[in-house]
Amino acid sequence: MKDIAILVSARGHQTTRDRLFSIFDAISIASLENMTTDESGSVRAVASLFDPLGGSQFDQLPNLEIVASFGVGYDHIDASAAADRNIIVTHTPSVLDDEVADITIGLLLNTIREIPKAEAYLRDGKWASSGPYPLSNLTLRNRHIGIFGMGRIGKAIARRLEGFGVSIAYHNRSIVKDAPYRYANTLSDLAASVDTLINVAPATDQTSNAINAEILKALGPNGVFINVGRGSTVVEDDLAAALENGTIAAAGLDVYADEPNVPGSLLSAPNTVLLPHIASASQHTRTAMGQLLIDNLVSWFERKTVLTPVPETAHLLGGGEPV
C-alpha cells in the first residue's frame, strides 16, 4: 500500500506512527496550510492521533476517503461533516475498555482512601516522626455508585465494582438490556439516588456541561465524583466550588475541559486526585489501539469496508453497523 497517500498526525503514539510510515505513503505535517495542492490532492486517508478535523480541513483534502481515529472518543472529529462528504470515520473501541475500567477503579480507591497522600506522608518521613497516617474520612463500604454512560467501558467498570459489594445504578440515553443494574431516567435522578458518580459519558451536545452544581449538590456532602469520560461534560467551576465548600467530599479526575491545562482551582483542592489523561495509557493498550486503527485503514483500501465505523458514518458502508 505504499502508493496510497495518507496524512499522519505530527504527534501521537510513536509505534503506531512508525507502522503507518512503513505501510503507506505517509505524510506528516504540522498544518494543512503547509501542503502543496498536489500533496493535499493525493491524500486518501487521515490517521488522526488527536488533531482536530472538521469541514474546513476536509475541504482541503478533495480526495479524502477515510479518517481513522486513535481512541474510542472522537469528539475532535466532526463526524457529521465527514458523513456529508461521504468520508468514513473509524475509531478504536473495545481494545481499551479493560484498561480504562482498571484505572477507574484505581482512581476511585485513590480518591476515597487518600492513597497518594498516604504514600507522600511515608516518603516525607512523617510516619516515623509523627506516627500513623490519619484515618481516612471516606470508605467504599456501603457506597451507592452511579455510572453515567453504560457503554462498553461503563459495563466493564460495573463488573469490577460488583466485587466490592456496592450497589450500582446507571443513566444512559436508554435502558441497556444486558446491564443488570437499576436504571435512572435522568442524570438528576441518578445523582439524587447515589453518593458516588462515575462519569464515562462521551463528549456530545447532549452531555456538554451535564455535570453541574445541581448534579453535584444531589450527590451530597459524602459524595465522590470520578471522571474518566470527557472534561467537556463537567462545569469545572461548579466542581471546584463544590469541592471547596463541602458540597461533595472528593473528586478523582483523569480528563479536563482544556487539556493539558488543568484549572488552578482543581490543582489546589486538597480533596482531589488528578491524573494526566492516562486511563488507556499503557504500551499494551495503545499498541492495540494503533493496530485497530491500521486494520481499519487496510480493510478500507483492500475491501472497501471497515471494522469499527463511528455511528455517524456507518451508513456509508451500505448497511454496515458499528462493531
Side-chain angles (χ1 to χ4, degrees):
M1 296 196 175
K2 291 297 288 184
D3 61 337
I4 298 173
I6 72 168
L7 187 61
V8 179
S9 298
R11 61 193 182 98
H13 186 236
Q14 190 58 49
T15 300
T16 301
R17 296 183 79 256
D18 290 344
R19 292 205 59 218
L20 287 166
F21 274 84
S22 70
I23 296 170
F24 300 97
D25 177 17
I27 304 167
S28 181
I29 55 170
S31 170
L32 287 176
E33 283 68 32
N34 296 337
M35 297 186 75
T36 66
T37 301
D38 286 345
E39 285 178 327
S40 60
S42 70
V43 171
R44 297 175 59 190
V46 171
S48 176
L49 285 75
F50 305 115
D51 294 339
L53 287 169
S56 61
Q57 288 82 21
F58 297 145
D59 291 342
Q60 294 180 65
L61 303 169
N63 294 307
L64 183 63
E65 301 171 31
I66 180 172
V67 175
S69 182
F70 185 89
V72 63
Y74 54 94
D75 46 291
H76 59 298
I77 297 170
D78 189 339
S80 295
D84 290 342
R85 293 162 174 80
N86 293 316
I87 299 168
I88 297 290
V89 179
T90 68
H91 61 154
T92 61
S94 300
V95 293
L96 51 71
D97 298 351
D98 287 328
E99 203 79 83
V100 175
D102 290 348
I103 281 289
T104 304
I105 300 302
L107 184 54
L108 175 63
L109 290 170
N110 274 280
T111 302
I112 289 177
R113 293 301 311 279
E114 303 176 4
I115 296 172
K117 288 183 181 179
E119 182 185 10
Y121 186 89
L122 179 151
R123 289 182 180 277
D124 290 343
K126 292 181 180 179
W127 188 15
S129 65
S130 304
Y133 183 79
L135 303 180
S136 63
N137 291 321
L138 301 175
T139 178
L140 196 59
R141 307 282 68 74
N142 301 317
R143 282 207 165 258
H144 302 275
I145 298 182
I147 299 175
F148 178 30
M150 190 54 76
R152 295 180 183 88
I153 296 173
K155 292 177 188 175
I157 293 169
R159 288 194 297 270
R160 285 158 173 75
L161 287 171
E162 289 176 8
F164 290 93
V166 297
S167 71
I168 303 169
Y170 72 98
H171 172 65
N172 212 55
R173 287 175 296 182
S174 58
I175 294 175
V176 179
K177 293 181 179 179
D178 61 347
Y181 315 107
R182 180 176 60 82
Y183 177 71
N185 288 315
T186 67
L187 180 56
S188 295
D189 290 343
L190 179 66
S193 66
V194 301
D195 53 30
T196 306
L197 180 62
I198 297 177
N199 178 41
V200 203
T204 66
D205 291 342
Q206 292 72 36
T207 63
S208 179
N209 293 330
I211 298 160
N212 52 29
E214 175 190 353
I215 299 299
L216 296 168
K217 183 178 180 181
L219 284 178
N222 192 44
V224 173
F225 174 62
I226 303 295
N227 193 6
V228 293
R230 280 292 187 263
S232 62
T233 61
V234 180
V235 181
E236 290 182 331
D237 287 345
D238 288 359
L239 176 58
L243 289 164
E244 182 177 11
N245 61 31
T247 299
I248 65 171
L253 310 174
D254 185 48
V255 291
Y256 311 89
D258 182 28
E259 297 178 0
N261 304 303
V262 180
S265 56
L266 294 176
L267 287 169
S268 62
N271 47 350
T272 59
V273 174
L274 306 176
L275 301 178
H277 202 153
I278 63 164
S280 67
S282 71
Q283 287 289 356
H284 170 88
T285 294
R286 289 291 172 87
T287 299
M289 291 163 63
Q291 183 61 56
L292 182 51
L293 178 151
I294 291 167
D295 288 346
N296 274 311
L297 289 171
V298 171
S299 179
W300 175 253
F301 289 115
E302 285 187 345
R303 298 179 291 277
K304 283 296 180 283
T305 188
V306 296
L307 305 175
T308 51
V310 303
E312 292 90 339
T313 67
H315 67 281
L316 300 175
L317 298 170
E321 294 294 335
V323 175

Short mmCIF file of all heavy atoms in Angstrom, two decimals, residues 189-256:
data_model
loop_
_atom_site.label_atom_id
_atom_site.label_comp_id
_atom_site.label_asym_id
_atom_site.label_seq_id
_atom_site.Cartn_x
_atom_site.Cartn_y
_atom_site.Cartn_z
N ASP A 189 -31.91 12.22 38.49
CA ASP A 189 -32.43 11.11 39.29
C ASP A 189 -31.30 10.21 39.77
O ASP A 189 -31.31 9.73 40.91
CB ASP A 189 -33.43 10.30 38.47
CG ASP A 189 -34.73 11.05 38.21
OD1 ASP A 189 -34.99 12.05 38.90
OD2 ASP A 189 -35.47 10.62 37.29
N LEU A 190 -30.35 9.96 38.89
CA LEU A 190 -29.22 9.11 39.27
C LEU A 190 -28.43 9.74 40.40
O LEU A 190 -28.14 9.08 41.42
CB LEU A 190 -28.31 8.87 38.06
CG LEU A 190 -27.07 8.00 38.33
CD1 LEU A 190 -27.48 6.57 38.67
CD2 LEU A 190 -26.13 8.01 37.12
N ALA A 191 -28.08 11.01 40.25
CA ALA A 191 -27.26 11.69 41.25
C ALA A 191 -27.95 11.75 42.61
O ALA A 191 -27.31 11.63 43.66
CB ALA A 191 -26.91 13.10 40.78
N ALA A 192 -29.27 11.92 42.60
CA ALA A 192 -30.02 12.02 43.84
C ALA A 192 -30.10 10.69 44.58
O ALA A 192 -30.36 10.66 45.79
CB ALA A 192 -31.42 12.54 43.57
N SER A 193 -29.87 9.58 43.86
CA SER A 193 -30.03 8.26 44.46
C SER A 193 -28.71 7.59 44.80
O SER A 193 -28.71 6.46 45.30
CB SER A 193 -30.82 7.36 43.51
OG SER A 193 -30.08 7.11 42.31
N VAL A 194 -27.58 8.26 44.54
CA VAL A 194 -26.27 7.67 44.82
C VAL A 194 -25.41 8.67 45.59
O VAL A 194 -25.77 9.84 45.74
CB VAL A 194 -25.55 7.26 43.51
CG1 VAL A 194 -26.37 6.24 42.74
CG2 VAL A 194 -25.25 8.48 42.63
N ASP A 195 -24.27 8.19 46.07
CA ASP A 195 -23.31 9.10 46.71
C ASP A 195 -21.97 9.10 45.98
O ASP A 195 -21.03 9.78 46.38
CB ASP A 195 -23.11 8.74 48.18
CG ASP A 195 -22.75 7.27 48.39
OD1 ASP A 195 -22.12 6.68 47.50
OD2 ASP A 195 -23.12 6.73 49.45
N THR A 196 -21.89 8.34 44.90
CA THR A 196 -20.67 8.28 44.09
C THR A 196 -21.08 8.27 42.63
O THR A 196 -21.86 7.42 42.21
CB THR A 196 -19.87 7.00 44.40
OG1 THR A 196 -19.62 6.93 45.81
CG2 THR A 196 -18.54 7.00 43.65
N LEU A 197 -20.55 9.22 41.86
CA LEU A 197 -20.91 9.32 40.45
C LEU A 197 -19.66 9.13 39.60
O LEU A 197 -18.68 9.87 39.74
CB LEU A 197 -21.54 10.68 40.15
CG LEU A 197 -21.96 10.93 38.70
CD1 LEU A 197 -23.03 9.94 38.26
CD2 LEU A 197 -22.45 12.37 38.52
N ILE A 198 -19.69 8.12 38.74
CA ILE A 198 -18.59 7.86 37.81
C ILE A 198 -19.04 8.26 36.42
O ILE A 198 -20.02 7.72 35.89
CB ILE A 198 -18.18 6.38 37.84
CG1 ILE A 198 -17.67 5.99 39.22
CG2 ILE A 198 -17.11 6.10 36.78
CD1 ILE A 198 -17.32 4.51 39.37
N ASN A 199 -18.34 9.21 35.84
CA ASN A 199 -18.70 9.71 34.51
C ASN A 199 -17.87 9.02 33.44
O ASN A 199 -16.64 9.11 33.44
CB ASN A 199 -18.48 11.22 34.44
CG ASN A 199 -18.80 11.77 33.06
OD1 ASN A 199 -19.77 11.37 32.44
ND2 ASN A 199 -17.97 12.68 32.58
N VAL A 200 -18.56 8.33 32.53
CA VAL A 200 -17.91 7.69 31.40
C VAL A 200 -18.54 8.20 30.11
O VAL A 200 -18.31 7.64 29.03
CB VAL A 200 -18.06 6.14 31.47
CG1 VAL A 200 -16.96 5.46 30.66
CG2 VAL A 200 -18.02 5.63 32.89
N ALA A 201 -19.31 9.26 30.20
CA ALA A 201 -20.06 9.75 29.05
C ALA A 201 -19.13 10.39 28.02
O ALA A 201 -18.16 11.05 28.37
CB ALA A 201 -21.11 10.77 29.50
N PRO A 202 -19.44 10.21 26.73
CA PRO A 202 -18.65 10.85 25.67
C PRO A 202 -18.99 12.32 25.56
O PRO A 202 -19.98 12.80 26.14
CB PRO A 202 -19.08 10.08 24.42
CG PRO A 202 -20.50 9.70 24.70
CD PRO A 202 -20.55 9.40 26.18
N ALA A 203 -18.21 13.04 24.79
CA ALA A 203 -18.47 14.46 24.55
C ALA A 203 -19.45 14.60 23.39
O ALA A 203 -19.13 14.28 22.25
CB ALA A 203 -17.17 15.19 24.23
N THR A 204 -20.66 15.05 23.71
CA THR A 204 -21.67 15.32 22.70
C THR A 204 -22.38 16.61 23.07
O THR A 204 -22.18 17.15 24.16
CB THR A 204 -22.72 14.19 22.64
OG1 THR A 204 -23.46 14.17 23.87
CG2 THR A 204 -22.06 12.83 22.43
N ASP A 205 -23.22 17.11 22.19
CA ASP A 205 -24.00 18.30 22.52
C ASP A 205 -24.90 18.03 23.72
O ASP A 205 -25.14 18.93 24.54
CB ASP A 205 -24.87 18.71 21.32
CG ASP A 205 -24.05 19.24 20.16
OD1 ASP A 205 -22.88 19.62 20.38
OD2 ASP A 205 -24.56 19.26 19.02
N GLN A 206 -25.38 16.80 23.85
CA GLN A 206 -26.29 16.46 24.93
C GLN A 206 -25.58 16.35 26.28
O GLN A 206 -26.17 16.62 27.32
CB GLN A 206 -27.01 15.14 24.62
CG GLN A 206 -28.00 15.21 23.47
CD GLN A 206 -27.32 15.32 22.11
OE1 GLN A 206 -26.25 14.73 21.90
NE2 GLN A 206 -27.92 16.07 21.20
N THR A 207 -24.32 15.95 26.28
CA THR A 207 -23.60 15.76 27.54
C THR A 207 -22.78 16.98 27.95
O THR A 207 -22.25 17.02 29.07
CB THR A 207 -22.66 14.55 27.47
OG1 THR A 207 -21.66 14.79 26.46
CG2 THR A 207 -23.43 13.28 27.14
N SER A 208 -22.66 17.98 27.09
CA SER A 208 -21.86 19.15 27.41
C SER A 208 -22.37 19.83 28.68
O SER A 208 -23.56 20.15 28.80
CB SER A 208 -21.89 20.14 26.24
OG SER A 208 -21.15 21.29 26.54
N ASN A 209 -21.47 20.01 29.66
CA ASN A 209 -21.79 20.67 30.93
C ASN A 209 -22.93 19.98 31.69
O ASN A 209 -23.61 20.61 32.50
CB ASN A 209 -22.15 22.14 30.70
CG ASN A 209 -20.96 22.96 30.22
OD1 ASN A 209 -19.82 22.66 30.56
ND2 ASN A 209 -21.23 23.98 29.43
N ALA A 210 -23.13 18.69 31.43
CA ALA A 210 -24.22 17.96 32.08
C ALA A 210 -24.02 17.86 33.59
O ALA A 210 -24.98 17.85 34.36
CB ALA A 210 -24.35 16.57 31.47
N ILE A 211 -22.77 17.77 34.02
CA ILE A 211 -22.47 17.65 35.44
C ILE A 211 -22.17 19.04 35.98
O ILE A 211 -21.10 19.60 35.74
CB ILE A 211 -21.31 16.67 35.67
CG1 ILE A 211 -21.72 15.28 35.17
CG2 ILE A 211 -20.91 16.61 37.13
CD1 ILE A 211 -20.59 14.36 34.88
N ASN A 212 -23.14 19.59 36.66
CA ASN A 212 -23.08 20.98 37.11
C ASN A 212 -23.37 21.05 38.61
O ASN A 212 -23.40 20.04 39.30
CB ASN A 212 -24.07 21.83 36.31
CG ASN A 212 -25.47 21.22 36.33
OD1 ASN A 212 -25.86 20.54 37.28
ND2 ASN A 212 -26.23 21.45 35.26
N ALA A 213 -23.58 22.26 39.10
CA ALA A 213 -23.81 22.46 40.53
C ALA A 213 -25.00 21.66 41.04
O ALA A 213 -24.96 21.10 42.14
CB ALA A 213 -24.00 23.96 40.80
N GLU A 214 -26.05 21.59 40.25
CA GLU A 214 -27.25 20.86 40.67
C GLU A 214 -26.95 19.37 40.84
O GLU A 214 -27.37 18.75 41.83
CB GLU A 214 -28.35 21.04 39.63
CG GLU A 214 -29.60 20.23 39.90
CD GLU A 214 -30.59 20.24 38.74
OE1 GLU A 214 -30.36 20.98 37.77
OE2 GLU A 214 -31.57 19.48 38.80
N ILE A 215 -26.25 18.79 39.89
CA ILE A 215 -25.93 17.36 39.97
C ILE A 215 -25.01 17.09 41.15
O ILE A 215 -25.19 16.12 41.89
CB ILE A 215 -25.27 16.89 38.65
CG1 ILE A 215 -26.22 17.09 37.48
CG2 ILE A 215 -24.82 15.45 38.77
CD1 ILE A 215 -27.52 16.32 37.57
N LEU A 216 -24.02 17.94 41.34
CA LEU A 216 -23.06 17.74 42.43
C LEU A 216 -23.74 17.90 43.79
O LEU A 216 -23.46 17.14 44.72
CB LEU A 216 -21.90 18.72 42.28
CG LEU A 216 -21.05 18.51 41.02
CD1 LEU A 216 -20.12 19.69 40.79
CD2 LEU A 216 -20.24 17.22 41.11
N LYS A 217 -24.65 18.84 43.91
CA LYS A 217 -25.38 19.02 45.16
C LYS A 217 -26.20 17.78 45.49
O LYS A 217 -26.31 17.37 46.65
CB LYS A 217 -26.29 20.25 45.07
CG LYS A 217 -27.03 20.55 46.37
CD LYS A 217 -27.87 21.80 46.24
CE LYS A 217 -28.60 22.09 47.54
NZ LYS A 217 -29.45 23.32 47.44
N ALA A 218 -26.76 17.15 44.46
CA ALA A 218 -27.57 15.96 44.68
C ALA A 218 -26.74 14.81 45.24
O ALA A 218 -27.28 13.95 45.96
CB ALA A 218 -28.23 15.54 43.36
N LEU A 219 -25.44 14.76 44.94
CA LEU A 219 -24.59 13.71 45.48
C LEU A 219 -24.46 13.81 46.99
O LEU A 219 -24.33 12.80 47.69
CB LEU A 219 -23.19 13.77 44.86
CG LEU A 219 -23.03 13.25 43.43
CD1 LEU A 219 -21.59 13.45 42.98
CD2 LEU A 219 -23.42 11.79 43.33
N GLY A 220 -24.44 15.04 47.50
CA GLY A 220 -24.38 15.25 48.94
C GLY A 220 -22.97 15.37 49.50
O GLY A 220 -21.98 15.12 48.79
N PRO A 221 -22.87 15.74 50.77
CA PRO A 221 -21.55 16.02 51.37
C PRO A 221 -20.65 14.81 51.50
O PRO A 221 -19.44 14.96 51.71
CB PRO A 221 -21.92 16.58 52.76
CG PRO A 221 -23.30 16.08 53.03
CD PRO A 221 -23.98 16.00 51.69
N ASN A 222 -21.20 13.60 51.39
CA ASN A 222 -20.39 12.39 51.36
C ASN A 222 -20.06 11.97 49.93
O ASN A 222 -19.46 10.93 49.69
CB ASN A 222 -21.15 11.25 52.08
CG ASN A 222 -20.28 10.04 52.35
OD1 ASN A 222 -19.14 10.18 52.79
ND2 ASN A 222 -20.81 8.86 52.08
N GLY A 223 -20.43 12.81 48.98
CA GLY A 223 -20.34 12.45 47.58
C GLY A 223 -18.93 12.45 47.01
O GLY A 223 -18.07 13.24 47.42
N VAL A 224 -18.73 11.54 46.07
CA VAL A 224 -17.45 11.44 45.36
C VAL A 224 -17.76 11.44 43.87
O VAL A 224 -18.66 10.74 43.40
CB VAL A 224 -16.71 10.14 45.75
CG1 VAL A 224 -15.47 9.95 44.87
CG2 VAL A 224 -16.32 10.17 47.22
N PHE A 225 -17.00 12.24 43.13
CA PHE A 225 -17.16 12.31 41.68
C PHE A 225 -15.89 11.83 41.01
O PHE A 225 -14.79 12.29 41.32
CB PHE A 225 -17.47 13.75 41.24
CG PHE A 225 -17.51 13.92 39.75
CD1 PHE A 225 -18.44 13.24 38.98
CD2 PHE A 225 -16.61 14.77 39.10
CE1 PHE A 225 -18.47 13.38 37.60
CE2 PHE A 225 -16.64 14.93 37.73
CZ PHE A 225 -17.57 14.23 36.97
N ILE A 226 -16.05 10.90 40.06
CA ILE A 226 -14.93 10.36 39.29
C ILE A 226 -15.19 10.61 37.81
O ILE A 226 -16.28 10.29 37.31
CB ILE A 226 -14.79 8.84 39.52
CG1 ILE A 226 -14.60 8.51 41.01
CG2 ILE A 226 -13.63 8.28 38.69
CD1 ILE A 226 -13.32 9.04 41.62
N ASN A 227 -14.21 11.15 37.10
CA ASN A 227 -14.40 11.44 35.68
C ASN A 227 -13.31 10.79 34.84
O ASN A 227 -12.14 11.16 34.91
CB ASN A 227 -14.41 12.94 35.42
CG ASN A 227 -14.93 13.28 34.03
OD1 ASN A 227 -15.38 12.41 33.30
ND2 ASN A 227 -14.88 14.55 33.67
N VAL A 228 -13.72 9.80 34.04
CA VAL A 228 -12.83 9.21 33.04
C VAL A 228 -13.46 9.33 31.65
O VAL A 228 -13.01 8.69 30.70
CB VAL A 228 -12.53 7.72 33.34
CG1 VAL A 228 -11.70 7.59 34.60
CG2 VAL A 228 -13.81 6.91 33.44
N GLY A 229 -14.52 10.15 31.54
CA GLY A 229 -15.21 10.34 30.27
C GLY A 229 -14.57 11.45 29.46
O GLY A 229 -13.53 11.26 28.83
N ARG A 230 -15.18 12.62 29.52
CA ARG A 230 -14.64 13.79 28.84
C ARG A 230 -14.80 15.01 29.73
O ARG A 230 -15.79 15.16 30.45
CB ARG A 230 -15.35 14.04 27.50
CG ARG A 230 -14.87 13.16 26.36
CD ARG A 230 -13.44 13.50 25.97
NE ARG A 230 -12.97 12.81 24.78
CZ ARG A 230 -12.25 11.70 24.79
NH1 ARG A 230 -11.94 11.13 25.94
NH2 ARG A 230 -11.84 11.15 23.66
N GLY A 231 -13.80 15.90 29.69
CA GLY A 231 -13.84 17.09 30.52
C GLY A 231 -14.97 18.04 30.16
O GLY A 231 -15.48 18.77 31.03
N SER A 232 -15.39 18.03 28.90
CA SER A 232 -16.45 18.95 28.47
C SER A 232 -17.80 18.63 29.08
O SER A 232 -18.73 19.43 29.00
CB SER A 232 -16.57 18.92 26.94
OG SER A 232 -16.94 17.62 26.50
N THR A 233 -17.94 17.45 29.70
CA THR A 233 -19.20 17.09 30.32
C THR A 233 -19.39 17.74 31.69
O THR A 233 -20.46 17.65 32.28
CB THR A 233 -19.31 15.56 30.49
OG1 THR A 233 -18.25 15.11 31.34
CG2 THR A 233 -19.21 14.86 29.15
N VAL A 234 -18.35 18.42 32.19
CA VAL A 234 -18.36 18.96 33.55
C VAL A 234 -18.19 20.48 33.51
O VAL A 234 -17.36 21.01 32.77
CB VAL A 234 -17.21 18.35 34.38
CG1 VAL A 234 -17.22 18.90 35.80
CG2 VAL A 234 -17.33 16.83 34.40
N VAL A 235 -18.98 21.19 34.32
CA VAL A 235 -18.75 22.62 34.58
C VAL A 235 -17.66 22.67 35.65
O VAL A 235 -17.95 22.51 36.84
CB VAL A 235 -20.03 23.33 35.03
CG1 VAL A 235 -19.74 24.82 35.25
CG2 VAL A 235 -21.14 23.15 34.01
N GLU A 236 -16.43 22.90 35.24
CA GLU A 236 -15.31 22.78 36.17
C GLU A 236 -15.36 23.81 37.29
O GLU A 236 -14.93 23.53 38.42
CB GLU A 236 -13.99 22.85 35.41
CG GLU A 236 -13.76 21.60 34.54
CD GLU A 236 -12.44 21.61 33.80
OE1 GLU A 236 -11.95 22.71 33.48
OE2 GLU A 236 -11.92 20.51 33.53
N ASP A 237 -15.88 25.00 37.01
CA ASP A 237 -16.02 26.00 38.08
C ASP A 237 -17.00 25.50 39.15
O ASP A 237 -16.77 25.71 40.35
CB ASP A 237 -16.51 27.33 37.51
CG ASP A 237 -15.44 28.07 36.72
OD1 ASP A 237 -14.25 27.70 36.86
OD2 ASP A 237 -15.78 29.00 35.98
N ASP A 238 -18.07 24.86 38.72
CA ASP A 238 -19.03 24.30 39.68
C ASP A 238 -18.39 23.19 40.49
O ASP A 238 -18.63 23.08 41.71
CB ASP A 238 -20.26 23.76 38.95
CG ASP A 238 -21.15 24.85 38.39
OD1 ASP A 238 -20.83 26.04 38.58
OD2 ASP A 238 -22.17 24.51 37.74
N LEU A 239 -17.58 22.36 39.85
CA LEU A 239 -16.91 21.27 40.56
C LEU A 239 -15.93 21.82 41.58
O LEU A 239 -15.90 21.35 42.74
CB LEU A 239 -16.19 20.36 39.57
CG LEU A 239 -15.36 19.23 40.17
CD1 LEU A 239 -16.22 18.32 41.03
CD2 LEU A 239 -14.66 18.43 39.07
N ALA A 240 -15.15 22.82 41.19
CA ALA A 240 -14.18 23.41 42.13
C ALA A 240 -14.90 24.02 43.34
O ALA A 240 -14.45 23.86 44.48
CB ALA A 240 -13.34 24.47 41.42
N ALA A 241 -16.01 24.69 43.09
CA ALA A 241 -16.77 25.29 44.18
C ALA A 241 -17.35 24.22 45.10
O ALA A 241 -17.33 24.36 46.33
CB ALA A 241 -17.89 26.17 43.62
N ALA A 242 -17.85 23.15 44.51
CA ALA A 242 -18.43 22.06 45.30
C ALA A 242 -17.38 21.40 46.19
O ALA A 242 -17.67 21.00 47.32
CB ALA A 242 -19.08 21.03 44.38
N LEU A 243 -16.17 21.28 45.69
CA LEU A 243 -15.09 20.69 46.48
C LEU A 243 -14.65 21.64 47.59
O LEU A 243 -14.32 21.21 48.70
CB LEU A 243 -13.90 20.39 45.57
CG LEU A 243 -14.08 19.22 44.59
CD1 LEU A 243 -13.03 19.26 43.49
CD2 LEU A 243 -14.03 17.88 45.33
N GLU A 244 -14.66 22.93 47.30
CA GLU A 244 -14.19 23.90 48.29
C GLU A 244 -15.19 24.09 49.43
O GLU A 244 -14.79 24.19 50.60
CB GLU A 244 -13.94 25.25 47.61
CG GLU A 244 -13.40 26.32 48.56
CD GLU A 244 -13.10 27.62 47.86
OE1 GLU A 244 -13.48 27.79 46.69
OE2 GLU A 244 -12.47 28.50 48.50
N ASN A 245 -16.47 24.11 49.10
CA ASN A 245 -17.45 24.42 50.14
C ASN A 245 -18.08 23.20 50.79
O ASN A 245 -19.00 23.32 51.60
CB ASN A 245 -18.54 25.35 49.59
CG ASN A 245 -19.32 24.75 48.43
OD1 ASN A 245 -19.49 23.53 48.37
ND2 ASN A 245 -19.78 25.59 47.50
N GLY A 246 -17.61 22.01 50.42
CA GLY A 246 -18.10 20.81 51.06
C GLY A 246 -19.40 20.27 50.50
O GLY A 246 -20.02 19.38 51.10
N THR A 247 -19.80 20.77 49.34
CA THR A 247 -20.99 20.22 48.70
C THR A 247 -20.79 18.74 48.40
O THR A 247 -21.72 17.94 48.55
CB THR A 247 -21.29 20.99 47.40
OG1 THR A 247 -21.54 22.37 47.72
CG2 THR A 247 -22.50 20.42 46.68
N ILE A 248 -19.59 18.38 47.96
CA ILE A 248 -19.20 16.98 47.84
C ILE A 248 -17.88 16.79 48.59
O ILE A 248 -17.20 17.77 48.93
CB ILE A 248 -19.04 16.51 46.38
CG1 ILE A 248 -17.90 17.25 45.67
CG2 ILE A 248 -20.35 16.66 45.63
CD1 ILE A 248 -17.57 16.67 44.29
N ALA A 249 -17.54 15.52 48.83
CA ALA A 249 -16.36 15.25 49.66
C ALA A 249 -15.06 15.22 48.86
O ALA A 249 -14.02 15.67 49.36
CB ALA A 249 -16.54 13.92 50.38
N ALA A 250 -15.10 14.69 47.65
CA ALA A 250 -13.85 14.49 46.92
C ALA A 250 -14.13 14.22 45.45
O ALA A 250 -15.25 13.89 45.06
CB ALA A 250 -13.05 13.32 47.51
N ALA A 251 -13.07 14.35 44.63
CA ALA A 251 -13.18 14.05 43.20
C ALA A 251 -11.88 13.45 42.70
O ALA A 251 -10.78 13.83 43.15
CB ALA A 251 -13.51 15.32 42.41
N GLY A 252 -12.00 12.52 41.78
CA GLY A 252 -10.85 11.95 41.08
C GLY A 252 -11.04 12.15 39.60
O GLY A 252 -12.05 11.74 39.03
N LEU A 253 -10.08 12.81 38.95
CA LEU A 253 -10.26 13.22 37.56
C LEU A 253 -9.09 12.75 36.69
O LEU A 253 -7.93 12.86 37.09
CB LEU A 253 -10.35 14.75 37.48
CG LEU A 253 -11.32 15.44 38.43
CD1 LEU A 253 -11.18 16.96 38.34
CD2 LEU A 253 -12.75 15.01 38.15
N ASP A 254 -9.44 12.27 35.51
CA ASP A 254 -8.43 11.91 34.52
C ASP A 254 -8.55 12.75 33.26
O ASP A 254 -7.68 12.70 32.40
CB ASP A 254 -8.56 10.42 34.16
CG ASP A 254 -7.45 9.93 33.23
OD1 ASP A 254 -6.27 10.22 33.51
OD2 ASP A 254 -7.76 9.26 32.23
N VAL A 255 -9.63 13.51 33.15
CA VAL A 255 -9.89 14.31 31.95
C VAL A 255 -10.34 15.71 32.34
O VAL A 255 -10.90 15.91 33.42
CB VAL A 255 -10.97 13.64 31.06
CG1 VAL A 255 -10.45 12.35 30.44
CG2 VAL A 255 -12.24 13.37 31.86
N TYR A 256 -10.10 16.66 31.42
CA TYR A 256 -10.35 18.07 31.71
C TYR A 256 -10.86 18.77 30.45
O TYR A 256 -10.67 18.27 29.34
CB TYR A 256 -9.06 18.73 32.22
CG TYR A 256 -8.42 17.91 33.31
CD1 TYR A 256 -7.50 16.90 32.99
CD2 TYR A 256 -8.77 18.07 34.65
CE1 TYR A 256 -6.94 16.09 33.97
CE2 TYR A 256 -8.22 17.25 35.64
CZ TYR A 256 -7.32 16.27 35.29
OH TYR A 256 -6.79 15.45 36.26
#
